[in-house]
Amino acid sequence: MTVRVSRLDNGLTVVTDPMPNIMTAAVALTVNAGARHETQAQHGIAHMLEHMAFKGTATRSAAEIVGAIERVGGSLNAATSHENTVYAARVLAEDVPLAVTLIGDIIENSRLEPEELAREQGVVLSEIGEAEDTPDDLVFEMMSETAFPDQPLGRPILGTRDSVRAMTVDSIRGYLSGHYRPGSMILSAAGAVDHDSFCAMAADAFRMSDGREASSFAPARYQGGITTRTRDLDQTHLVLGFEGAPTGSDAFFTADIASTILGGGMSSRLFQEARERRGLCYSIYAYSWGFAETGLFGVYAGTAPKDVADLSDVIRHEICAMAQGVTEDEIASACAQSKAGLLMSLENCASRAEQIARHLVVFGEVLPAEALVARLEAVTAQDVSALMQRLAAEAEATVSIVGPGAPEAAAQRIAAAYGSGR
C-alpha cells in the first residue's frame, strides 16, 4: 500500500494514495464538522456554509471559481453530512495545484456577503420544499427525527424554513470560526499525485493557524417511536428502524452483512418474498447506517395502502426467521457483495480520496483493503442471528409512514409487533 500521511505545522492532516497508470486525481478536504456540531439555533448552518463557500472569495467571484475549474475540464463540489463536510475536486494530474488552491481559497477567504446569503436562503428553501415533496425522502427524515428526538443527529441536515430564514452572515462566520480549524481537517488526494509535492501545495494553500482543540458533539440517545404523515398518494411509504452499530465497530460489519441478506439485493429475503413471490411492492430494501457512537438499521418499502399490513407481516416474519438462523451460503453471498462494492470503489479516484480521509476519522489510520475484507469475512451466521434476535425480541422500533388514509393505525400495529409503540 502506498498511502502516506503527514501532519503540517498548523495541524492540517494530509494523506495521499497514488494510483499507478492513472492520469487524473481527486482532491478532497474533509472537515470534521457537520450537522451534529450545530446548536438548535444553528440548525442547518453547516449545510448553508457549504453553499456559501462557493459564492466568492477575497480574490475570486463565484463565476471565477467555477470558471477556473471548468476551463481545465475539472469539477468542484461539496456535501454535508451529520458528522462532516467534504469539499472535493476532480482534475487532470497537472491541475492538482489549481484544485488545492481553489479549495483552500473558498475555505479561508470566503466573503460571505449578505446579498449572496439572501440568494442561497432561497435556494435552500427550495431544497427543503423538494425534500418535503418527495415522500421516500420525507419518510427517512421523519424516522431520524423520531429515532433521535430533540438531538442534532435527528434533525434534517437542511434545516427548517424558520432556521434558514434566521441565518445571518455573522452566525455563519461564528460556525466557521468555531469548527473549521486545521486540526479538524484532512486534505486527501488519490490518483496521479506525489505526496511531498502535495504537502507543499497544502502548506501554501492552507495558511490558517488555530491551536484550539477540534470540536465535538454530545453522544446521541436512541429513543424510537412512531411518526406518520397523511398524504394524498398512490403509495404508502414505510420505514422501520432500530438502533444500529457505530461505524468501524465489529457490530457494524455484522449489520452490513445482515442488511444485505435481509434486503440488500434482488436475491435478498425481502426482495424475493415481498416482491417476487407475493407482489406486495416494487421497492423494498434494508439499510445500515453508522455514526460515531451509534447507528440505524432497518427496512424501507413503498406499497399500496391495502398491502401495508401484509407487507409489514412479511418484514416481521423475515426478521424472525433470520433470528432463528441464516445459511452459510447467505453469509458468503452477502460478504461477496460487500467485498465487491469495497474493491470496486477503490478503482475510483474520488471514492478513494474520500475513503482514506474517512478511515483516518473512524480508525485513526488508513486500513488496507485486505483488513476490511478480513473483518467482513469474520462475520458469522451466529453473529447475524444474534443481531436479528435483538431486533425481533428486545429492540425499541422506530416506525415512520407517509401515505393516504389513516397511517397512524398501521404504524401502531407495526410497532406493537416489536413490543413497542406509543
Side-chain angles (χ1 to χ4, degrees):
M1 185 177 237
T2 56
V3 172
R4 290 180 61 187
V5 182
S6 298
R7 190 173 177 87
L8 303 186
D9 291 341
N10 67 352
L12 177 70
T13 297
V14 179
V15 55
T16 59
D17 188 2
M19 299 169 66
N21 304 317
I22 297 293
M23 300 175 67
T24 65
V27 177
L29 179 72
T30 299
V31 185
N32 290 323
R36 292 195 69 179
H37 297 81
E38 298 169 349
T39 65
Q40 180 67 54
Q42 294 173 325
H43 185 194
I45 209 164
H47 174 256
M48 181 62 78
L49 174 55
E50 172 221 311
H51 276 238
M52 291 295 294
F54 292 92
K55 296 305 172 183
T57 70
T59 58
R60 294 177 176 89
S61 68
E64 288 170 336
I65 291 170
V66 296
I69 198 74
E70 291 186 353
R71 271 195 300 275
V72 298
S75 61
L76 190 62
N77 210 336
T80 304
S81 70
H82 278 100
E83 296 182 342
N84 58 59
T85 306
V86 178
Y87 299 84
R90 185 74 187 270
V91 291
L92 299 177
E94 60 265 29
D95 298 313
V96 169
L98 173 65
V100 175
T101 297
L102 288 177
I103 294 174
D105 194 24
I106 66 175
I107 296 301
E108 294 206 352
N109 304 310
S110 287
R111 286 199 296 258
L112 301 178
E113 295 176 328
E115 296 81 7
E116 291 290 353
L117 174 58
R119 276 190 282 270
E120 285 308 301
Q121 284 170 317
V123 171
V124 174
L125 290 172
S126 295
E127 274 192 270
I128 292 172
E130 182 177 346
E132 291 179 347
D133 287 344
T134 309
D136 49 341
D137 287 344
L138 176 61
V139 74
F140 272 103
E141 286 195 355
M142 292 163 51
M143 184 272 296
S144 295
E145 289 182 273
T146 306
F148 300 105
D150 303 317
Q151 301 167 66
L153 190 55
R155 296 197 292 256
I157 291 172
L158 299 180
T160 66
R161 288 182 173 83
D162 287 343
S163 69
V164 168
R165 291 189 182 107
M167 292 176 189
T168 65
V169 167
D170 286 343
S171 65
I172 295 173
R173 286 198 178 110
Y175 181 88
L176 174 64
S177 65
H179 299 289
Y180 278 49
R181 306 169 188 168
S184 299
M185 297 180 182
I186 300 170
L187 185 68
S188 58
V193 290
D194 172 77
H195 183 78
D196 293 332
S197 297
F198 190 70
C199 285
M201 297 174 207
D204 186 59
F206 292 86
R207 297 178 178 274
M208 64 174 68
S209 179
D210 190 331
R212 290 177 293 172
E213 293 184 3
S215 53
S216 60
F217 46 76
R221 305 175 310 281
Y222 176 87
Q223 180 173 306
I226 291 170
T227 181
T228 62
R229 193 82 60 89
T230 301
R231 288 284 180 87
D232 185 16
L233 302 170
D234 291 332
Q235 274 202 320
T236 293
H237 297 264
L238 159 70
V239 172
L240 171 66
F242 306 92
E243 185 170 20
T247 305
S249 66
D250 289 341
F252 179 80
F253 288 87
T254 297
D256 179 71
I257 297 297
S259 67
T260 301
I261 294 172
L262 180 61
M266 294 177 68
S267 65
S268 68
R269 291 189 177 208
L270 285 177
F271 191 94
Q272 285 295 311
E273 185 64 26
R275 174 172 163 162
E276 297 297 279
R277 295 193 184 98
R278 304 198 187 195
L280 292 173
C281 59
Y282 174 75
S283 178
I284 186 167
Y285 60 85
Y287 60 89
S288 177
W289 302 343
F291 303 105
E293 80 293 15
T294 187
L296 286 168
F297 181 97
V299 176
Y300 161 83
T303 188
K306 66 180 180 60
D307 291 327
V308 171
D310 287 344
L311 182 60
S312 62
D313 287 345
V314 169
I315 296 170
R316 170 70 180 174
H317 177 270
E318 293 303 332
I319 289 175
C320 291
M322 286 180 63
Q324 295 301 309
V326 297
T327 69
E328 292 300 332
D329 282 348
E330 286 179 310
I331 293 289
S333 176
C335 184
Q337 290 180 60
S338 294
K339 176 181 176 180
L342 168 66
L343 297 180
M344 288 176 185
S345 72
L346 294 178
E347 297 179 358
N348 179 282
C349 289
S351 296
R352 206 153 165 171
E354 293 189 29
Q355 188 178 105
I356 57 179
R358 183 66 176 154
H359 279 203
L360 290 177
V361 174
V362 174
F363 303 109
E365 61 179 326
V366 180
L367 298 182
E370 295 80 6
L372 294 172
V373 169
R375 294 188 72 175
L376 286 168
E377 292 177 340
V379 176
T380 67
Q382 290 74 26
D383 294 332
V384 171
S385 291
L387 167 61
M388 305 313 282
Q389 287 168 14
R390 177 178 69 83
L391 303 188
E394 303 172 10
E396 179 75 14
T398 301
V399 182
S400 295
I401 297 179
V402 176
E408 176 74 17
Q412 289 284 358
R413 178 182 180 275
I414 294 168
Y418 297 89
S420 58
R422 50 176 63 86

